[in-house]
């Protein structure tokens, strides 16, 4: 709302010949205000995501370490986040918001450079694309580190910086385990989203085309199928994000449990320990 209102206060320019829409020209002061509100929007968005990740990580950590005394883990996690860790979540989201703001600023500079006469040739395109790729990779790296740091904050209660360092060294000490688990998690999340999107969409298509009372009232099932797919994908994304965050938290909790208790996961649930033991036996047989 604020960005829209600020943008609407700019000077309106007449539309170019052959183009029906007018454009808005803003001065330097208004551009600064727009940048200020945009950065605030990015920070608030990153903070809300961080808060959700922490609540999920804390709930999974309570299940792993305190399942015998577990009483409303989600409510406990919300209280922990709002009472003890607002600063850590705000700082982590601030770093991510800065990186995202730099990416948007880069796109703005690129557009202005072409408008000021910078030649749009193969060399400049290559340079801009390389810089864009580096910034995108850096943003993904920050998102990954932030996620792992929030998990450490939820498990240990330390500050953001200490948790980020602890998470980095934990991943470094268990590179193979993290690499394999994270790769399998990405595949599983993709397959889960695919199934949750495709199956309800197909079911909805069959219902609206095969049921006579419904099919008579519908001229084309395409628009409804698009709606089915969109809603199913949104639900699948939310569900699989919860699963992915919980699985990464349990992995970190298991590794921390092993390191703290001399290679023995004393807090590991029986079902998880049974799964780990089976995989160890399979690995030992394959080695022999």
């Amino acid at each position: 709302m604020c960005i829209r209102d600020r943008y609407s206060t700019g000077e309106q320019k007449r539309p170019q010949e052959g183009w029906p829409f007018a454009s808005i020209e803003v001065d330097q002061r208004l551009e600064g205000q727009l940048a200020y509100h945009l950065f605030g929007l990015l920070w608030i968005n990153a903070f809300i995501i961080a808060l959700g990740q922490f609540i999920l990580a804390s709930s999974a950590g309570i299940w792993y370490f305190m399942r015998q005394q577990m009483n409303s883990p989600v409510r406990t996690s919300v209280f922990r986040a709002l009472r003890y860790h607002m600063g850590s979540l705000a700082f982590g989201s601030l770093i991510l918001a800065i990186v995202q703001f730099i990416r948007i600023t880069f796109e703005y500079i690129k557009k202005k450079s072409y408008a000021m006469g910078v030649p749009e040739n193969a060399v400049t395109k290559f340079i801009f694309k390389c810089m864009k790729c580096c910034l995108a990779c850096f943003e993904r790296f920050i998102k990954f580190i932030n996620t792992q740091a929030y998990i450490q904050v939820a498990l240990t209660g330390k500050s953001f910086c200490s948790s980020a360092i602890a998470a980095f060294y934990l991943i470094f000490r268990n590179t193979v385990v993290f690499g394999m688990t994270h790769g399998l998690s990405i595949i599983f999340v993709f397959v889960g989203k695919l199934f949750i999107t495709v199956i309800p969409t197909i079911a909805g298509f069959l219902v609206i085309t095969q049921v006579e009372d419904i099919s008579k009232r519908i001229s084309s099932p395409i628009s409804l199928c698009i709606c089915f797919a969109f809603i199913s994908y949104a639900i699948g994304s939310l569900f699989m994000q919860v699963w992915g965050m919980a699985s990464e938290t349990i992995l970190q909790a298991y590794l921390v449990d092993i390191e703290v208790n001399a290679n023995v996961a004393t807090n590991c649930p029986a079902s998880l320990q049974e799964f780990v033991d089976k995989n160890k036996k399979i690995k030992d047989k394959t080695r022999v």
Side-chain angles (χ1 to χ4, degrees):
M1 289 288 289
C2 293
I3 294 176
R4 185 197 66 186
D5 294 339
R6 291 293 182 183
Y7 191 73
S8 63
T9 57
E11 182 181 352
Q12 185 175 356
K13 295 178 65 178
R14 291 183 178 181
Q16 299 178 357
E17 187 177 353
W19 183 251
F21 302 107
S23 60
I24 303 295
E25 185 176 347
V26 296
D27 56 14
Q28 189 173 3
R29 179 183 62 84
L30 190 56
E31 284 183 348
Q33 293 176 349
L34 288 171
Y36 172 78
H37 286 294
L38 175 62
F39 180 76
L41 179 65
L42 293 173
W43 193 0
I44 292 171
N45 178 66
F47 178 79
I48 293 172
I49 293 173
L51 181 63
Q53 289 179 330
F54 176 86
I55 292 171
L56 292 173
S58 178
S59 300
I62 291 172
W63 172 83
Y64 185 92
F65 288 106
M66 303 173 62
R67 59 191 173 278
Q68 303 298 337
Q69 307 162 354
M70 187 169 56
N71 183 19
S72 187
V74 176
R75 184 176 60 188
T76 303
S77 300
V78 172
F79 175 78
R80 289 184 64 204
L82 299 179
R83 175 64 178 84
Y84 300 108
H85 301 294
M86 289 283 283
S88 296
L89 300 179
F91 184 69
S93 58
L94 173 63
I95 296 173
L96 179 59
I98 291 172
V99 175
Q100 292 174 336
F101 186 76
I102 291 173
R103 287 192 65 188
I104 296 173
T105 305
F106 169 75
E107 293 294 333
Y108 175 78
I109 292 173
K110 183 178 73 171
K111 183 179 178 180
K112 283 289 186 181
S113 300
Y114 286 143
M116 293 173 63
V118 174
E120 193 173 351
N121 52 36
V123 177
T124 56
K125 286 182 178 180
F126 176 77
I127 293 172
F128 280 132
K129 285 182 179 180
C130 286
M131 295 176 67
K132 183 178 180 180
C133 180
C134 291
L135 289 172
C137 291
F138 186 62
E139 182 184 353
R140 292 190 183 96
F141 173 75
I142 293 297
K143 285 182 177 180
F144 177 78
I145 290 296
N146 277 8
T147 301
Q148 306 306 318
Y150 297 147
I151 293 173
Q152 281 291 317
V153 172
L155 294 178
T156 63
K158 296 180 180 178
S159 64
F160 177 83
C161 294
S162 300
S163 298
I165 294 171
F168 177 81
Y169 282 113
L170 182 66
I171 295 171
F172 184 76
R173 290 192 300 269
N174 303 275
T175 308
V176 177
V177 176
F178 264 94
M180 291 180 61
T181 307
H182 193 67
L184 291 173
S185 177
I186 291 174
I187 295 172
F188 188 81
V189 168
F190 174 77
V191 173
K193 288 181 181 179
L194 184 65
F195 270 88
I196 295 173
T197 303
V198 172
I199 292 176
T201 304
I202 294 175
F205 174 78
L206 293 175
V207 169
I208 61 180
T209 55
Q210 300 300 321
V211 178
E212 294 184 2
D213 293 339
I214 300 176
S215 61
K216 290 178 180 179
R217 302 175 185 178
I218 298 172
S219 58
S220 175
I222 296 176
S223 58
L224 287 175
C225 288
I226 292 173
C227 292
F228 294 155
F230 178 78
I231 295 172
S232 301
Y233 180 78
I235 294 172
S237 297
L238 291 173
F239 178 80
M240 297 310 297
Q241 283 176 5
V242 172
W243 181 90
M245 194 68 188
S247 64
E248 291 188 13
T249 304
I250 292 171
L251 174 62
Q252 280 204 38
Y254 180 76
L255 294 175
V256 169
D257 194 12
I258 289 177
E259 291 184 354
V260 170
N261 297 300
N263 293 326
V264 178
T266 57
N267 297 288
C268 184
S271 56
L272 179 59
Q273 188 62 52
E274 183 181 353
F275 174 77
V276 173
D277 293 338
K278 284 183 179 179
N279 280 272
K280 284 183 179 180
K281 290 179 181 179
I282 293 172
K283 285 184 179 180
D284 293 337
K285 288 180 180 179
T286 53
R287 287 177 182 175
V288 175

